[in-house]
Amino acid sequence: MSEVQTAEETRSRRKVRTGYVISDKMEKTVVVQVSDLTQHRLYKKTIQRRARFKAHDEENVCGIGDLVRIMETKPISKEKRWRVVEIVEKAK
């Protein structure tokens, strides 16, 4: 029973990000851009930091502009280390 608990604990420690799909041209893969607003340490100006992640989309249901939640997973390919968990909001 302790093995089941440890598996659940490790799954809960995986990173989860929310971002917008900016490319869906690959098969079973989407590029998700995650934005984060932070303040500059010295000048206190708000800075938008962006990161792009390639995420696995098994059913090819994500489209450009969709807001999706992605979760960290084991490496699927050379650059894919994330998978799409759910589509939060479809693009209009």
Side-chain angles (χ1 to χ4, degrees):
M1 188 144 154
S2 62
E3 293 176 13
V4 175
Q5 290 176 347
T6 57
E8 289 176 8
E9 289 172 6
T10 56
R11 191 169 290 271
S12 65
R13 277 188 258 138
R14 290 182 181 177
K15 295 174 188 168
V16 177
R17 303 278 187 265
T18 304
Y20 288 95
V21 175
I22 58 173
S23 174
D24 63 349
K25 294 187 177 187
M26 294 170 275
E27 194 171 322
K28 294 189 178 183
T29 304
V30 291
V31 180
V32 179
Q33 181 170 299
V34 177
S35 298
D36 184 34
L37 292 175
T38 58
Q39 263 195 346
H40 192 279
R41 289 180 295 148
L42 177 62
Y43 301 115
K44 307 302 183 202
K45 180 178 178 177
T46 303
I47 302 169
Q48 183 179 22
R49 294 178 182 246
R50 298 186 195 112
R52 289 180 174 186
F53 300 104
K54 287 190 173 69
H56 185 68
D57 178 23
E58 185 63 39
E59 287 89 33
N60 271 337
V61 292
C62 295
I64 295 177
D66 292 351
L67 182 64
V68 295
R69 185 167 290 121
I70 58 175
M71 179 183 282
E72 195 175 33
T73 185
K74 65 180 183 177
I76 298 169
S77 70
K78 180 183 172 185
E79 295 179 334
K80 276 201 290 188
R81 273 100 173 105
W82 298 79
R83 65 181 170 86
V84 175
V85 177
E86 66 171 322
I87 299 174
V88 179
E89 182 182 323
K90 288 294 275 183
K92 296 176 176 87

